[in-house]
Amino acid sequence: MNAHPIALPPGATLQPGRGGLERLVVDTPACVGEIYLHGAHLTGWQPRGDAPVLWLSAHSVFEPGRPIRGGIPICFPWFGPHPADASRPPHGFVRLAPWTLERVTREADTITATLALAVAADREPLWPHDVALRLEARFGRELAVAFTVENRGTTACPVAEALHTYVAVGDIRQVTLEGLGGIAYIDKVKGGVRAVQDVAPLTFDGETDRPYLGTEAAVAIVDPALRRRIVVEKEGSRTTVVWNPWIAKARAMPDFGDDEWPAMVCVEAANALDDAFTLAPGASHTLRTRLRVG
Ligand code: TA6
């Protein structure tokens, strides 16, 4: 439990979640939601009257040092496998760490939670930098998430990052994504070949794993099965990653049910690959994503 309990507004409670990990639960007339202190991992958001917007695997583990499968994992300071040492945790180490809940505020029916993590230069030998991280999650009729990195060291630090959002859909085989037409991407399913998305909305007929590069565009997830449209906007992000593991990849992941792949699509606000960047000493950068229904 938090060593120094903080004041919580009405509609916000701190309680043990799955695996006994501590979570903040939000319950207001606008929405219900939850975020774990483990990894500052947002695992749920459901506007009143709508089906859940974030997908969470029924097979996820909830253990210190292990990633939660679903919701919005924070990928930092690298994206995917570590470029030099595949033994290091994929998507970096901050989603595996216990964060501190700093503040919870309420304005009308929107609750904002701020979590923090300090990373010392001796934490990760392959990334020897001193940074302060902050995650701000605003739970309302919309969901707004901001991930801020402040370089507190004396050397510039390389950054690749993502808010790796898992969106719940009725059936991926009927889903189309709008907003990526004409944008260059890397096709990780085809060995990393580079291509340009044609103007027609993206559809899914197999494993799809595509970082779209140099784009700040919003993406609309058109979901006929749930009869809804989810808009994913972003700021401070030049990469949008689209992922669905499909059948074989889902079967190969122990924390992903064999039958769960039709019910999700990842649309991730990121800065990775060509869009990775270097943060100067003393500088800060904020990556934002915002989800709304309709
Ligand atoms: O964002 C897509 C991706 O990089 C895929 O290649 C797949 O590995 C996915 O992330 C999940 O990664 P994880 O380490 O959470 O299993």
Side-chain angles (χ1 to χ4, degrees), residues 67-69 73 79-81 90-91 95 164 166 188 209 241-243 249 253 255 266 268:
I68 294 169
R69 174 67 67 192
F79 182 80
H91 291 323
R95 68 174 175 165
H164 192 298
Y166 286 75
K188 290 169 64 176
D209 192 348
V241 183
V242 175
W243 180 56
K249 192 77 170 277
M253 293 183 282
D255 62 346
C266 284
E268 308 160 32

Side-chain angles (χ1 to χ4, degrees), residues 50-110:
D50 283 300
V53 174
L54 299 181
W55 177 86
L56 187 66
S57 172
H59 299 257
S60 179
V61 297
F62 286 80
E63 293 171 15
R66 304 278 303 277
I68 294 169
R69 174 67 67 192
I72 307 182
I74 300 171
C75 306
F76 180 90
W78 59 83
F79 182 80
H82 185 281
D85 180 349
S87 74
R88 305 309 298 134
H91 291 323
F93 53 85
V94 304
R95 68 174 175 165
L96 310 178
W99 289 53
T100 299
L101 181 63
E102 279 203 329
R103 187 170 56 257
V104 184
T105 59
R106 178 167 178 162
E107 189 176 344
D109 286 339
T110 297

Side-chain angles (χ1 to χ4, degrees), residues 115 134-138 144-148 163 286-289:
L115 295 89
R134 192 173 66 246
L135 194 281
E136 184 182 271
R138 207 168 71 233
V145 183
F147 173 59
T148 299
L163 292 171
T286 298
L287 167 64
R288 297 179 189 276
T289 193

